[in-house]
Amino acid sequence: MSIDTAPGASANALDATSGAATGRDILHRLLMTLGPILAALIIAGCILLVVGVDPLAYYGYVLEKGLFSPLGIQQTLTRMAPLLFLAAGLIVAFRAGMWNLGGDGQFLLGAVTAAASAPVLVQVMPAWLALTCSFLISMVVAMAWSLLPALLRAYQGVNEIITTLMMTFLGTSLANVLVKLVFRDPGTTVPQTRTLPVEDRLPRLFDTTITSGLVLGLAAIIIVHLVMTRTAFGLKLRIVGANPRAAVHAGLGVPRLTVAVFAISAGLAGLAGAVDIIGVQGNVRADWNPAYGLAVIPAVFLARMNGFAAIGFVFLLSVLSIGGESAARRLGVPNHFTLVLVSIMLIVLALAEYVDHRYNQSRKA
Amino acid sequence: MTGLFSEVFLGALLFGAVTAAVPLLLAGLGEQLSEKAGVLNIGIEGMMLAGAYLGFLGAFYSGSLWLGFLTGAAGGIAVALIMALLCVRIGLNQIVIGIALTLGLEGLTALLHHFQFSRSYPRLPAADATVIPLLSDIPVVGPAFFKHHLIVYLAVALVFAMGYLYRRTQLGLNLQAAGDKPAALDVAGIDVIRTRTIAVLTTGALAGLGGAYLANVGAGLFIPFITNGAGFLGIVLAMLARGRPVWVLFGALLFGVCLSLTTAMQVAGINIPTDIIQMLPFLAVMIMLVLFGRRASLPAALGIAYERGAR
């Protein structure tokens, strides 16, 4: 029951059009990116009007809080760290034609693992070693969580969209169980894990509040991009993504590669959870689920699965989510609006691409 | 613990199972129809949420459950219209648009709910049941299966209507051809785009109806993210049912029991954390997929947009 609408296929078609980038090409691409974003802002603004919120005031507030205030931009850059890891994981999966929609479950289990292990490990070994171990354990746990969907897809052909989604529902609940029952800090009344002391967390960059996790995130997504575009391994994965049947005939071990893709993708999602805990939060509270995994999906699509473009869109998403959180407190517009805005962006962009494609075809004909 | 196997408990469990199964049944039947016609509908969760929200609005302001079901179905159709336009008519990627629709509707319904009801959380009065004479007098089973809102019986009847549609009618054959070999359908002079559009819109109506039932009858109120994966469970049902509507019914009842068990165990005061109980239905899904996933069959052209003359 595999379905041949590989996400990589559409990306490859897009890549094909980008040969030598001339000035006009770049302008065209910029227009094709900014135009839909603007259109989406206008459509989403109409929704704000309907519920009685001044869209200009809202957008202004979001930009001010997420981008132009010194504290806001630092928070935005800090928020980027986990989002970049998640985006990197999605790029691997999507380019290889696999819909890993289980990012949230993998993220939360990674986060809980980090929160459980780091405070214990820092007491017995030097901080740098403790944090590294914590990162690694989180990665392995998240990888293990993706094993069942991976095996089902690789050897039974069971569609991974459903299995990863189901594993996310399970993972979210399991993370809560772990926080409340297993790793609960006995010293607090609110159910939460033990807190990693601030001095043991990832260092902050220079004199700011920005976490150095940002650097790790940037490194992760750039490495992923380079591996996918410049190495033989990346090429293999893209072939699997473009046409699994052709990949079999090319002698590639598709089942093994499938498991590898899931492991890498989930491992990065687990690292995202770890970087958020070890770098920023310090602990996991019960019922904490920021649902970054779902929010990042549109950003990766908008970036056409290109690592560098994804950095830009993740930044945009960060601004929207940090600004949106302030706006939720101050203007009473719940955070859900960001979700609406991002999905409208995705639809408008897909539409714009179609129109553009059609226009090019008719010009050639 | 003593109440676990009492008649009252069992009755409540089964009644809850049927109530929980109806939205899954409607979503599963809808997804099955859409998949048969070649459109993988990941947006069904969004369609259910639209149906739940608008269905609640309709029932709340008109005071009539039936009007609520109608507005719910209309809400589902409205979302399906976007899907039909983008994925069937102009052939955009069904999975990308489906995800976008689900995410968008999750956000939109939560947003609108926040501005309208977040302070009051109004509830609808309990739905009046249509009691089927004689059958409902059977102990335990009777009240559990034969004292439901009329729409529940209609939903079960729909299972057989769908079976008839697929086996005995021209439209049913056309729908399946649109999913298996759209080019052949085109050559036969039937409009593939129109056939698939009909399927997607009907799916929207069924999903919207399921959502409306979930909010109006199941919960009696609308809360954000109320579907909690019901649409995705519908997709699983459609996958495992191998094109047979009756299997969707059985599957929906099975998952319904799991969902009902979660609430029943909480009510019975069994000392298991809610988070563990909540995992039950999804665990059941994974077990089913591990056991039967391989045997699921899907139409050949599922997920592939049809473009006339394209190679």
Side-chain angles (χ1 to χ4, degrees):
Chain A
M1 59 190 213
S2 66
I3 293 163
D4 286 342
T5 44
S10 59
N12 294 346
L14 288 163
D15 286 349
T17 56
S18 65
T22 61
R24 262 189 77 165
D25 262 5
I26 292 171
L27 187 73
H28 176 243
R29 283 194 142 197
L30 212 63
L31 217 69
M32 278 296 295
T33 308
L34 294 182
I37 291 178
L38 202 67
L41 286 172
I42 293 170
I43 297 172
C46 294
I47 295 174
L48 283 178
L49 273 181
V50 170
V51 296
V53 176
D54 178 2
L56 288 179
Y58 177 84
Y59 290 139
Y61 191 82
V62 167
L63 281 184
E64 189 202 317
K65 287 292 168 184
L67 190 59
F68 295 127
S69 77
L71 184 66
I73 185 74
Q74 291 177 30
Q75 283 178 331
T76 296
L77 291 172
T78 296
R79 173 64 51 87
M80 278 179 78
L83 297 183
L84 284 172
F85 273 106
L86 281 165
L90 289 181
I91 287 173
V92 176
F94 288 176
R95 283 211 171 213
M98 301 183 203
W99 298 91
N100 176 15
L101 302 188
D104 277 324
Q106 294 149 9
F107 172 90
L108 280 175
L109 287 173
V112 170
T113 311
S117 61
V120 178
L121 291 177
V122 286
Q123 288 171 355
V124 294
M125 52 177 91
W128 64 269
L129 187 63
L131 296 192
T132 313
C133 287
S134 227
F135 267 113
L136 287 178
I137 306 171
S138 301
M139 189 176 78
V140 171
V141 167
M143 279 177 170
W145 197 247
S146 79
L147 193 63
L148 187 58
L151 291 176
L152 280 174
R153 153 96 196 214
Y155 296 100
Q156 304 267 352
V158 176
N159 183 282
E160 74 284 5
I161 300 178
I162 291 307
T163 49
T164 50
L165 273 171
M166 294 296 125
M167 291 304 276
T168 264
F169 282 107
L170 285 173
T172 314
S173 296
L174 181 63
N176 271 331
V177 173
L178 291 175
V179 170
K180 287 174 190 167
L181 298 182
V182 185
F183 302 123
R184 185 176 168 166
D185 181 0
T188 55
T189 46
V190 256
Q192 61 180 38
T193 62
R194 286 211 231 168
T195 307
L196 183 66
V198 179
E199 63 271 14
D200 290 330
R201 294 183 199 170
L202 287 179
R204 288 169 171 177
L205 290 177
F206 314 112
D207 289 336
T208 65
T209 59
I210 305 166
T211 172
S212 51
L214 175 66
V215 181
L216 298 177
L218 286 170
I221 201 162
I222 290 170
I223 290 171
V224 159
H225 182 82
L226 293 179
V227 166
M228 292 307 286
T229 53
R230 299 269 185 276
T231 67
F233 180 66
L235 182 66
K236 280 183 194 167
L237 296 189
R238 280 186 293 144
I239 293 172
V240 174
N243 190 339
R245 248 172 266 161
V248 172
H249 289 293
L252 298 178
V254 175
R256 269 189 191 194
L257 286 174
T258 302
V259 176
V261 166
F262 273 94
I264 298 171
S265 180
L268 285 163
L271 287 176
V275 87
D276 205 19
I277 297 309
I278 294 175
V280 189
Q281 315 282 348
N283 62 27
V284 175
R285 280 161 286 122
D287 300 315
W288 177 71
N289 180 8
Y292 293 149
L294 283 180
V296 166
I297 295 172
V300 172
F301 282 137
L302 290 169
R304 294 154 183 134
M305 297 152 215
N306 176 305
F308 295 109
I311 296 174
F313 279 100
V314 163
F315 177 70
L316 179 67
L317 180 66
S318 278
V319 170
L320 289 175
S321 84
I322 293 289
E325 276 167 23
S326 306
R329 287 191 295 271
R330 192 62 77 78
L331 302 181
V333 180
N335 243 343
H336 307 303
F337 180 73
T338 311
L339 212 54
V340 181
L341 182 57
V342 174
S343 33
I344 294 177
M345 261 180 214
L346 185 55
I347 292 175
V348 177
L349 190 92
L351 210 57
E353 235 154 48
Y354 169 78
V355 172
D356 187 55
H357 179 65
R358 264 305 165 84
Y359 175 72
N360 280 343
Q361 269 189 337
S362 64
R363 217 173 37 173
K364 271 180 210 158
Chain B
M1 283 301 277
T2 50
L4 187 53
F5 294 105
S6 74
E7 263 183 37
V8 183
F9 179 84
L10 210 62
L13 178 74
L14 289 176
F15 184 86
V18 175
T19 310
V22 171
L24 301 182
L25 173 64
L26 289 168
L29 286 176
E31 183 70 31
Q32 187 172 51
L33 175 69
S34 177
E35 286 185 9
K36 268 182 190 280
V39 181
L40 179 69
N41 191 344
I42 302 283
I44 195 164
E45 180 87 4
M47 293 174 192
M48 287 189 87
L49 275 167
Y53 174 73
L54 284 178
F56 177 75
L57 275 195
F60 181 66
Y61 287 116
S62 72
S64 152
L65 269 187
W66 286 105
L67 215 66
F69 290 137
L70 209 65
T71 52
I77 292 177
V79 181
L81 205 60
I82 304 177
M83 177 120 199
L85 276 176
L86 296 179
C87 299
V88 177
R89 201 151 282 273
I90 69 176
L92 298 183
N93 188 317
Q94 294 168 5
I95 297 175
V96 176
I97 297 299
I99 294 171
L101 286 178
T102 290
L103 289 181
L105 265 300
E106 276 182 351
L108 187 61
T109 50
L111 190 75
L112 293 173
H113 171 267
H114 173 86
F115 283 102
Q116 282 175 296
F117 302 123
S118 68
R119 278 172 209 188
S120 51
Y121 277 96
R123 291 190 79 97
L124 294 172
D128 39 326
T130 305
V131 180
I132 295 184
L134 292 179
L135 286 175
S136 61
D137 295 334
I138 307 169
V140 184
V141 181
F145 286 102
F146 303 107
K147 273 189 181 172
H148 283 276
H149 192 267
L150 185 56
I151 199 142
V152 174
Y153 311 119
L154 293 179
V156 175
L158 187 67
V159 173
F160 299 99
M162 293 297 246
Y164 181 80
L165 175 80
Y166 296 140
R167 281 162 184 269
R168 298 260 184 264
T169 66
Q170 183 69 45
L171 178 64
L173 286 177
N174 289 350
L175 283 167
Q176 291 170 81
D180 271 327
K181 210 154 186 61
L185 186 65
D186 202 0
V187 170
I190 312 285
D191 191 339
V192 175
I193 304 293
R194 183 186 294 165
T195 311
R196 285 186 168 183
T197 305
I198 293 172
V200 171
L201 294 184
T202 313
T203 301
L206 290 176
L209 197 60
Y213 179 89
L214 188 66
N216 293 347
V217 182
L221 79 171
F222 179 84
I223 46 170
F225 310 103
I226 186 171
T227 49
N228 190 28
F232 299 128
L233 290 178
I235 300 177
V236 176
L237 285 175
M239 276 184 171
L240 294 175
R242 287 200 269 164
R244 305 262 309 266
V246 181
W247 287 27
V248 177
L249 177 63
F250 293 148
L253 280 173
L254 182 71
F255 290 154
V257 171
C258 286
L259 285 169
S260 173
L261 208 58
T262 61
T263 25
M265 279 161 95
Q266 281 160 12
V267 172
I270 292 167
N271 202 11
I272 303 172
T274 30
D275 293 298
I276 294 181
I277 299 179
Q278 274 170 359
M279 292 166 80
L280 210 66
F282 301 108
L283 213 57
V285 171
M286 285 311 292
I287 293 170
M288 294 284 282
L289 283 172
V290 169
L291 292 179
F292 304 114
R294 179 167 218 164
R295 286 195 271 162
S297 70
L298 291 172
L302 181 60
I304 302 164
Y306 181 70
E307 192 184 341
R308 182 179 281 179
R311 276 170 297 154

